[in-house]
Amino acid sequence: MPLWLELLIRVGGVVVAFLTLPLLVGQVEHKVMAHMQGRLGPMYAGGFHGWAQLIADGVKFVQKEDVTPRAADRAVFRLAPVVALVPYLVVLLVIPLGPGGLVGQPLDVGLFFVLAVVGIGVLAVLMSAWASANKYSLLGGLRGAAQLLGYELPLVLAAASVAMAAGTLSLSGIVEAWQPWWLLWQAPAMIVFFVAGLAEIRRPPFDMPVADSELVFGYMTEYTGLRFAFFLLAEYAGIVVIAALTTVLFLGGWQGPFADAQLGWLWTLLKVFAVSFVIIWVRVSYPRLREDQLQRLCWLVLVPAALGQLVLTAAVRLALV
């Protein structure tokens, strides 16, 4: 197969996944929240089980007027939703779906690349906050920047623990080195990574930057129509990315209970949707954290736990050598 054709197929597959998986997660969230909170609306659109709710939301966003505040920095204001969305597409390029090179672009330093690209999200928050010329947006952006910069540290430390255990920064290499007993050994790192990941994508209970009771809707207050839809799509894409990274780093990726490697991609997808369900369940079940609680959890709980896990991982690695 020519190189250009193989590259086209790989990139095309990633783009299709990027356009479908977040929408599926969004549809699942509608139904899960409807059942868990007794919401009737999402269960009626289109008839059977509200199958057309996602379509109705899309039509609604398309019909809304695209408004840009008069005092806004128009170029930055319009670019911010794209900056929020594109990094997740780039990250999906290097997350392996299965064995045998079933990945958009394999990298020997894939984990380093992923953590670097995910960190770009703070720019979109600051861009939208500043460019909106709105005090509520600015306050939300400052909250978001403090939150994202703080939770980057436990996220990186937790990922470093499993990379140290596997002895590689390659995401595929980490999956191949993974053993079932890591579920116990690396459990603290997995919990830290998962919680920090929720904070990074600003999902409840870590949604202080868009607290509607205080900041209207934070850095997204002035966005309407498709630009607002891009921010929502970025949130669901973030769920897919965090769930996929948790799967690859801590849950064995494509490794399943059976030896048949041909079904590896299926195990990966099942684990990704299972972790996505947990993210939705957390949103429904827990109230929003206050700003002081949010920062205390980061610096007094997650960071020490991640550092302790790093020490444990180093000790076990030395003992096994």
Side-chain angles (χ1 to χ4, degrees):
M1 181 183 298
L3 179 60
W4 65 269
L5 181 57
E6 180 181 355
L7 181 62
L8 184 63
I9 292 175
R10 289 177 180 269
V11 174
V14 171
V15 171
V16 170
F18 178 74
L19 294 176
T20 56
L21 291 180
L23 296 179
L24 290 176
V25 170
Q27 181 76 348
V28 170
E29 182 174 60
H30 275 103
K31 305 311 169 189
V32 170
M33 292 180 65
H35 282 292
M36 295 184 72
Q37 296 183 333
R39 298 186 177 190
L40 298 179
M43 306 303 290
Y44 279 93
F48 177 73
H49 210 69
W51 65 269
Q53 180 62 50
L54 203 63
I55 299 175
D57 288 341
V59 172
K60 176 185 69 176
F61 284 125
V62 170
Q63 289 179 334
K64 285 185 177 294
E65 183 180 1
D66 183 14
V67 178
T68 301
R70 182 179 304 172
D73 186 329
R74 293 179 176 270
V76 178
F77 182 85
R78 294 171 178 173
L79 185 61
V82 179
V83 176
L85 190 58
V86 170
Y88 295 122
L89 171 61
V90 177
V91 167
L92 287 178
L93 283 171
V94 300
I95 296 180
L97 183 62
L102 193 57
V103 57
Q105 179 59 52
L107 291 178
D108 292 335
V109 290
L111 180 58
F112 176 82
F113 176 82
V114 164
L115 294 176
V117 174
V118 167
I120 296 177
V122 66
L123 294 179
V125 174
L126 291 175
M127 288 170 63
S128 59
W130 174 258
S132 294
N134 182 306
K135 61 182 179 181
Y136 297 108
S137 298
L138 182 58
L139 287 173
L142 293 177
R143 281 184 178 182
Q147 176 175 318
L148 296 179
L149 293 176
Y151 278 86
E152 278 283 340
L153 183 57
L155 186 79
V156 171
L157 291 176
S161 175
V162 72
M164 182 186 298
T168 178
L169 289 174
S170 168
L171 295 177
S172 297
I174 291 174
V175 176
E176 292 169 356
W178 184 87
Q179 299 294 329
W181 65 279
W182 285 22
L183 290 173
L184 295 177
W185 177 36
Q186 294 295 323
M190 179 177 66
I191 295 173
V192 170
F193 184 89
F194 179 77
V195 174
L198 288 181
E200 284 292 304
I201 59 177
R202 300 167 296 284
R203 287 283 296 183
F206 303 96
D207 57 339
M208 281 297 293
V210 292
D212 50 353
S213 60
E214 306 167 34
L215 303 177
V216 188
F217 213 59
Y219 60 91
M220 292 189 285
T221 297
E222 299 294 347
Y223 284 90
T224 60
L226 288 178
R227 300 187 198 280
F228 182 75
F230 283 164
F231 273 115
L232 291 185
L233 183 60
E235 179 179 330
Y236 290 122
I239 294 176
V240 173
V241 167
I242 293 299
L245 288 176
T246 303
T247 297
V248 168
L249 296 177
F250 300 100
L251 299 179
W254 59 77
Q255 297 193 41
F258 307 110
D260 187 3
Q262 299 299 323
L263 294 178
W265 61 271
L266 181 59
W267 290 118
T268 302
L269 289 179
L270 288 175
K271 293 175 184 178
V272 168
F273 277 104
V275 176
S276 299
F277 173 81
V278 174
I279 294 175
I280 297 169
W281 173 75
V282 169
R283 172 184 179 175
V284 177
S285 303
Y286 290 92
R288 178 184 299 126
L289 295 176
R290 297 196 312 265
E291 185 69 19
D292 61 313
Q293 294 172 330
L294 186 144
Q295 295 297 342
R296 188 180 298 114
L297 174 64
C298 174
W299 295 106
L300 299 184
V301 179
L302 296 186
V303 171
L307 290 173
Q309 180 65 37
L310 271 178
V311 174
L312 175 63
T313 301
V316 173
R317 285 283 295 176
L318 289 174
L320 294 177
V321 172

